[in-house]
Amino acid sequence: MRLLTIILLLLLLRSAESRRGPWSKATERGTWGRVRGRGRAGVMRRQTQECKEYMESGEKYLDCQDRQLTFVRQNWPKDIHHLLLARNKIQVLRANMFDQFTQLKSLDLQQNAISLIEDDAFSGLSQLTTLLLQHNRIRIASEEVLLPLPLLTYLRIFDNPWSCRCSLDSLVRTLQVPSNRNLGNYARCAEPRSLKGQKLKNLKADLLCAEDNRPEDVKEPQIGRPIVKTDAVSICHLKYPRLLLDCQHK
C-alpha cells in the first residue's frame, strides 16, 4: 500500500512538471528576448547621438561627423589622436576650444558654418600636423591663429569667402613662406573685386593694404553710371618752369 502511494506521488509530480516546464521555459525565453531587444535599441540610439571612438594603426580616432554639434563637449576622451568634426554646425572657434586634446594630430572641421576663429582657438595643439577648414564661411584670420601649431604640415582653407584686405596681410605672408608649401593651397580671394579669384599663395602682400587705402570711388565704381574720363592736360594750360596746371574757366 505504501509502495502504491509513493508511485502515485511520483506520477503526480512528473505530470505537474510536464505541464509547468514548457510554459516556464517559453516565458523565460520571451522575457529575455524582450529585454535583450530593448538593450539593443538603447545602444543604437546612443550611437546616433554620441561620437564613435575606434583604434586604427595604433592611434585613437573620435568620429563626431554629422552630429549637428555647435561646440566641443568636455566629456570627450582627451587621449585621442584624430578628431573628426566635419558636417556639423559650429560657427565660432573660441579661444582654448581644443586645449584638452594635447595629443591631437589631425583636426577635421570642414563643412561647418565657421565664420570666426579667435587667435588662441588652437592653443595647446602642439602635436597637430593636419588642419582642415575648407568649405566654411571664414573671411579673415591672422597668423596668430597658426602660432600654437609648430608641427602643422597640411592646412586646407579653400572654399571660404576670403576678404583680401589689410587684415589678411599677416596670414598671407605666413602662407607664402617657402617652407609652408602645403599650407593654404587653392584658397582664393572673394573680395575686393580687383583681387577676386586670385590665390592667396600668389598674392602680392603689399596690395592688401593698398586696397584699403584706395579712394572709395576707385575701389567700387557704381554700376550703371557712366565713367567719364577727361584729359585735363588737353584742355588746361601747363605753365613752366614750376609745372603748374592752369584749369581756370575750363
Side-chain angles (χ1 to χ4, degrees):
M1 186 68 180
R2 184 177 297 176
L3 180 60
L4 182 59
T5 301
I6 293 173
I7 293 173
L8 289 173
L9 286 173
L10 289 174
L11 291 173
L12 288 172
L13 288 173
R14 185 172 298 178
S15 176
E17 287 179 358
S18 63
R19 289 195 303 269
R20 179 181 176 275
W23 172 256
S24 176
K25 291 180 181 178
T27 303
E28 290 173 0
R29 283 198 300 270
T31 303
W32 179 78
R34 287 193 298 272
V35 172
R36 185 176 60 172
R38 285 198 298 271
R40 285 183 173 177
V43 170
M44 291 297 289
R45 284 194 296 271
R46 286 196 298 273
Q47 286 181 347
T48 57
Q49 294 173 2
E50 299 175 359
C51 303
K52 296 178 181 178
E53 184 179 344
Y54 61 93
M55 296 287 294
E56 186 174 310
S57 300
E59 296 187 339
K60 185 178 291 187
Y61 288 73
L62 188 64
D63 187 347
C64 300
Q65 301 179 95
D66 300 295
R67 304 288 168 173
Q68 306 295 310
L69 297 172
T70 58
F71 59 92
V72 173
R73 302 186 188 278
Q74 295 300 311
N75 62 345
W76 287 350
K78 296 176 174 57
D79 59 344
I80 56 175
H81 300 99
H82 306 277
L83 179 56
L84 310 178
L85 286 167
R87 297 181 298 279
N88 280 291
K89 294 186 176 181
I90 300 172
Q91 298 182 15
V92 178
L93 300 183
R94 301 290 184 190
N96 305 308
M97 188 171 178
F98 304 97
D99 62 353
Q100 60 180 313
F101 308 114
T102 57
Q103 300 182 42
L104 206 61
K105 295 182 178 180
S106 71
L107 177 58
D108 186 353
L109 288 161
Q110 62 180 303
Q111 299 183 50
N112 274 269
I114 300 169
S115 60
L116 175 63
I117 305 177
E118 296 185 357
D119 287 345
D120 294 325
F122 304 120
S123 178
L125 302 184
S126 60
Q127 302 301 310
L128 197 75
T129 62
T130 302
L131 178 59
L132 306 180
L133 288 165
Q134 64 266 36
H135 310 299
N136 276 287
R137 303 173 186 174
I138 309 168
R139 297 180 64 250
I140 59 173
S142 71
E143 66 169 341
E144 292 187 26
V145 169
L146 305 180
L147 291 180
L149 310 174
L151 299 182
L152 188 65
T153 306
Y154 297 98
L155 173 66
R156 298 293 179 262
I157 55 174
F158 60 86
D159 195 23
N160 280 285
W162 292 106
S163 178
C164 293
R165 301 186 185 277
C166 206
S167 55
L168 205 66
D169 177 86
S170 63
L171 178 64
V172 168
R173 292 180 186 274
T174 299
L175 298 180
Q176 293 181 352
V177 172
S179 59
N180 294 336
R181 61 183 180 274
N182 290 320
L183 302 188
N185 295 338
Y186 314 113
R188 298 176 182 270
C189 301
E191 59 176 15
R193 184 164 58 183
S194 59
L195 298 178
K196 184 176 182 179
Q198 293 194 34
K199 290 183 178 181
L200 271 58
K201 298 281 281 190
N202 300 335
L203 276 178
K204 292 183 178 180
D206 295 337
L207 293 178
L208 300 177
C209 292
E211 282 293 324
D212 285 358
N213 294 326
R214 291 173 63 191
E216 288 298 325
D217 58 340
V218 176
K219 284 183 184 179
E220 302 291 342
Q222 295 184 11
I223 298 175
R225 294 182 58 183
I227 299 176
V228 179
K229 296 182 179 180
T230 58
D231 187 354
V233 178
S234 65
I235 62 175
C236 301
H237 297 289
L238 193 62
K239 294 184 177 181
Y240 296 90
R242 297 179 60 188
L243 295 178
L244 295 177
L245 195 61
D246 183 6
C247 295
Q248 297 183 79
H249 311 295
K250 301 298 182 180

